[in-house]
Amino acid sequence: MKKLILLTLIVILTACSINPPASEIQTNKTKWENAKIAHYRYNLSISCFCAFMDDMPLSIEVENGALISITAKNGTIVDSSSAFYEMYLPHSTIDRIFLNLEADLAGKADEVAVTYDPAYGYPTSISVDRIKEAVDDEVSYFITNFEIIK
């Protein structure tokens, strides 16, 4: 009986010392960071009840973590003088997308659904419902045509 109690205690204490697996977002963020992709481009489509839908998809280029350019669907460069620049800025790098996603998952939004790229870990689609009971506050982000630029 003593051996059984001792064995049970060992199992319980061992189980308590094992680290729980990292969250899905942390696993994918680490995959992204470990890829060390310095220069990349992707298309971003933001789907919502928004005035800027005609700009979608945006083509975004990033180098060394800094935004290089945002180009609207019609080829127009989106810069700080553009009407919706501030709306696009939080989604203008993969790192910024992860920051916003972490905030949404931490409670900023009532409901969040996300899928990740299996190779590099960046989010490929994010659906956010900030207020579950509200109408027309949902927004979705789609990252497509990801390209590493050498």
Side-chain angles (χ1 to χ4, degrees), residues 131-147:
I131 306 168
K132 189 79 173 143
E133 314 303 318
V135 177
D136 297 336
D137 71 315
E138 299 85 3
V139 61
S140 295
Y141 307 92
F142 301 97
I143 297 171
T144 58
N145 300 327
F146 182 86
E147 171 187 9

Side-chain angles (χ1 to χ4, degrees), residues 84-99:
F84 300 113
Y85 181 77
E86 292 299 321
M87 297 294 292
Y88 302 151
L89 203 55
H91 318 288
S92 62
T93 72
I94 299 297
D95 292 331
R96 288 179 184 173
I97 290 171
F98 269 116
L99 284 173

Side-chain angles (χ1 to χ4, degrees), residues 5 26 39 50 55 57 63-64 72 88-89 107 149:
I5 293 172
Q26 190 56 51
H39 194 185
C50 304
D55 287 352
E63 187 171 14
N64 297 321
Y88 302 151
L89 203 55
I149 303 170

